[in-house]
Amino acid sequence: MFLLPATVVDKLATRRSRRVAAAASVAALASAVFGLGLIGPDAAHADTSTTASADTAPAVQPAGTVGTTWGDATANNVATGGSQTYQADLDPGSLYTIETAIGARAVWWQRDGEKRQITGQGVGVALLDTGTADVAGLDGQNKLSYGPDLSIEANSADLTDKDTNGHGTHIAGIIAAHDPVTLDRQTMAHLSPSVQLGVAPDAELESLKLATTDGSTDVSQVIAAVDWVTQHPTLPDGTAIRVINLAYGTDSVQPYDADPLSAAVENAWKHGIVVVVSGGNEGPQAGRLTDPAMDPYVLAVGASDGKESPAGWAYPSVASFSSSGTAQRHVDLLAPGRSIASLRAPGSFVDRNFPQGLVAGDTDGRLFRGSGTSQAAAITSGAVALLLQAYPSLTPDQVKYLLTNTATPVMGGTALTAGAGQLNVAGAMLAAKILSTPSGSHVFPASVYTQAWPTSNGHGSIEDARGGYHLVDPQGEVLSGEIDVQGMPWDPAAWWAASSTLTAWNGGVWNGATWTGSGWASTGGWDGSRWDGSRWDGSRWDASRWDGSRWDGTAWSVDNWN
């Protein structure tokens, strides 16, 4: 489906009134080329089941909860068609179904002026998450590399870079999984829907592990990771990192223009990296987005719901768990986020604790099913990679404008819950083609896409950025106050002066403490010292302190990975 963007812009007139004329131009062209218009209204779907067995797992996450929900018995039943065999073309949450619905697979078939295939080739995506497992679909040449492991598990050589949680692998598969098949027009015409291909199957991934097995991390670790990518935006093979995927959020109520996490993602944005963040899973009653989605510069993504069949994505609704916002700040758009079947990390935390996430009929045991705005953000990151391969000169502001002004409207949703509507990759690609022509500046003058919100100086509190979530060590010590996870004092002015000038990292040192090494090893991993000698309230964090123990999940857990 293709949006009539003037309709959406009118709904958001208080925020984007100056964009209406250009959006109308896109709408007219879309209607003429595709003959598509607004979709009809549809009632929101919710399943309030709360049991946890594989047969009766909740179909969607109940409103008012947080974190990714694993499993969906209804989707499993639909995907097997009453048989014992998984059929991706019947699965409402398969990558095949999702990519067809948002137009990604149509884009793969296109060629630009240089006869290239648009599959994300030459675009690097930094995945700031729980690590990424080297499983089939992510094990191709130049597919997956590792940046510094900034999690506490980096103290262990056995756990460094490994996705002991499972969330990161699921997200990586959505963005850029690529089974060993040739992607050309002839092959794709006969390709099995069960072949695992992410939204941008030829994009390259750099995984930065931030969290431990149970998902525990501190906001200072996330800021350090964003700083690192902004300062080192090149993969080992020379590919430029153009996208950051951050499916993480806190419940901070600190104003974004003071918040240090917001300042960090803004800084990446200003340096040419599109930052895609999940909006949060607290449902329509949330009334706010998580931090850093609350920052208006970045691309904040909510989740849409296609309900119980592949055809349902033609009439999407807002997923019941997707966080609402305010008139001042809400999600920019939606992407499919319900019951997405992506790659599994065998033996990980979610694999062991949520067996209902296994996909029925998947005889290879490769797949896991999850719902959340994390999954929606990953789909959007893949779409951004497609745009940037086709039109590498696009700026982050232009990418955001193109995606939000070509989205499919979601009737029954409001701007506060649905933003501009559901992601439409094919529509955005068409608009990008116009924008990139010599006459594009007349159709899309800079005034319609240039963002001019007040910027964050990061001079606020790192404690406030944590919101209500704190790390608690196995001995009960709580990480709180104006210190980072290393126990170093937090000087926001000094940090921002370094971050904004791309000097926050000095070798393996960030905020005055050694976190990691200073160079790539010949094996492709990050070499050098780890931060097992760091301090937190006078305590040394080494293997004897944490090995065999876990962080207290009651204070901070996988729930913050949306």
Side-chain angles (χ1 to χ4, degrees):
M1 300 295 290
F2 200 105
L3 171 67
L4 297 181
T7 304
V8 174
V9 174
D10 286 340
K11 291 180 180 180
L12 305 178
T14 57
R15 295 185 59 205
R16 294 199 303 244
S17 61
R18 68 178 186 263
R19 306 180 185 185
V20 173
S25 298
V26 177
L29 180 63
S31 181
V33 174
F34 292 97
L36 300 174
L38 292 172
I39 60 175
D42 185 63
H45 173 88
D47 184 340
T48 57
S49 169
T50 57
T51 55
S53 73
D55 293 331
T56 58
V60 296
Q61 182 165 345
T65 59
V66 294
T68 298
T69 295
W70 304 105
D72 184 338
T74 300
N76 279 343
N77 290 334
V78 172
T80 56
S83 70
Q84 298 300 313
T85 304
Y86 176 70
Q87 301 177 66
D89 54 341
L90 297 182
D91 184 358
S94 72
L95 294 181
Y96 171 83
T97 297
I98 296 304
E99 290 157 359
T100 301
I102 64 174
R105 293 204 166 212
V107 167
W108 297 354
W109 287 65
Q110 296 175 2
R111 303 290 192 277
D112 63 11
E114 299 178 4
K115 306 299 183 184
R116 296 179 301 171
Q117 198 162 336
I118 307 304
T119 51
Q121 188 172 21
V123 178
V125 180
L127 179 58
L128 278 53
D129 215 286
T130 66
T132 306
D134 187 17
V135 296
L138 298 175
D139 57 353
Q141 185 177 11
N142 292 334
K143 168 56 66 180
L144 178 63
S145 61
Y146 296 92
D149 183 337
L150 304 182
S151 75
I152 305 235
E153 287 180 346
N155 291 320
S156 168
D158 293 336
L159 300 179
T160 299
D161 296 326
K162 292 181 172 58
D163 184 10
T164 56
N165 177 269
H167 185 278
T169 301
H170 198 262
I171 299 307
I174 294 171
I175 297 171
H178 194 330
D179 277 349
V181 296
T182 300
L183 292 182
D184 56 36
R185 291 180 66 87
Q186 183 176 359
T187 302
M188 285 195 294
H190 305 286
L191 197 62
S192 169
S194 64
V195 172
Q196 290 302 296
L197 296 168
V199 176
D202 284 322
E204 297 180 39
L205 295 170
E206 180 178 72
S207 174
L208 275 75
K209 179 178 175 178
L210 306 184
T212 55
T213 296
D214 63 3
S216 300
T217 192
D218 181 60
V219 72
S220 61
Q221 290 162 278
V222 181
I223 294 170
V226 175
D227 276 351
W228 192 89
V229 175
T230 307
Q231 192 172 332
H232 305 87
T234 306
L235 297 177
D237 66 355
T239 299
I241 296 174
R242 300 294 307 279
V243 188
I244 287 175
N245 188 94
L246 182 57
Y248 162 92
T250 77
D251 60 357
S252 170
V253 296
Q254 182 171 218
Y256 85 87
D257 56 4
D259 186 83
L261 180 54
S262 287
V265 295
E266 272 187 33
N267 191 44
W269 190 274
K270 296 294 186 182
H271 282 90
I273 301 175
V274 179
V275 184
V276 182
V277 296
S278 51
N281 296 337
E282 296 182 348
Q285 76 286 349
R288 66 181 183 185
L289 304 185
T290 55
D291 181 13
M294 66 183 185
D295 189 288
Y297 277 95
V298 298
L299 189 55
V301 184
S304 57
D305 184 351
K307 298 166 288 301
E308 296 173 359
S309 75
W313 291 109
Y315 304 95
S317 59
V318 182
S320 62
F321 54 81
S322 188
S323 290
S324 66
T326 66
Q328 291 72 39
R329 181 55 175 158
H330 45 71
V331 294
D332 296 298
L333 78 169
L334 305 177
R338 181 186 173 195
S339 304
I340 309 302
S342 183
L343 298 178
R344 169 187 171 220
S348 64
F349 178 87
V350 298
D351 188 46
R352 291 181 286 104
N353 288 277
F354 300 95
Q356 64 268 30
L358 294 170
V359 174
D362 172 30
T363 57
D364 294 329
R366 297 181 64 193
L367 303 180
F368 216 73
R369 195 182 298 280
S371 298
T373 56
S374 288
Q375 283 69 21
I379 289 167
T380 305
S381 288
V384 172
L386 296 178
L387 277 174
L388 290 173
Q389 181 201 344
Y391 303 102
S393 64
L394 290 174
T395 67
D397 281 1
Q398 289 173 328
V399 168
K400 182 176 180 179
Y401 173 80
L402 291 167
L403 292 177
T404 55
N405 283 280
T406 57
T408 302
V410 176
M411 303 304 290
T414 67
L416 271 61
T417 58
Q422 180 172 277
L423 174 70
N424 179 354
V425 185
M429 195 68 69
L430 176 62
K433 182 176 182 179
I434 300 169
L435 177 61
S436 298
T437 63
S439 60
S441 60
H442 299 293
V443 181
F444 301 102
S447 60
V448 304
Y449 58 72
T450 301
Q451 299 190 101
W453 309 103
T455 58
S456 177
N457 59 20
H459 287 188
S461 164
I462 198 169
E463 171 64 16
D464 288 348
R466 294 182 177 109
Y469 301 98
H470 296 80
L471 284 174
V472 180
D473 81 354
Q475 281 68 44
E477 294 183 56
V478 178
L479 172 58
S480 62
E482 300 305 312
I483 58 173
D484 69 15
V485 73
Q486 298 270 29
M488 299 298 291
W490 183 255
D491 182 338
W495 164 75
W496 178 240
S499 179
S500 60
T501 58
L502 304 185
T503 58
W505 281 91
N506 180 11
V509 175
W510 184 84
N511 198 37
T514 298
W515 288 55
T516 185
S518 57
W520 289 99
S522 59
T523 57
W526 196 258
D527 193 18
S529 60
R530 297 294 176 182
W531 50 289
D532 54 340
S534 61
R535 296 178 63 253
W536 178 13
D537 289 340
S539 303
R540 288 178 59 86
W541 290 109
D542 56 25
S544 64
R545 181 69 185 273
W546 63 266
D547 193 18
S549 303
R550 290 298 169 209
W551 299 83
D552 186 349
T554 61
W556 189 303
S557 72
V558 71
D559 288 349
N560 279 79
W561 298 96
N562 292 315

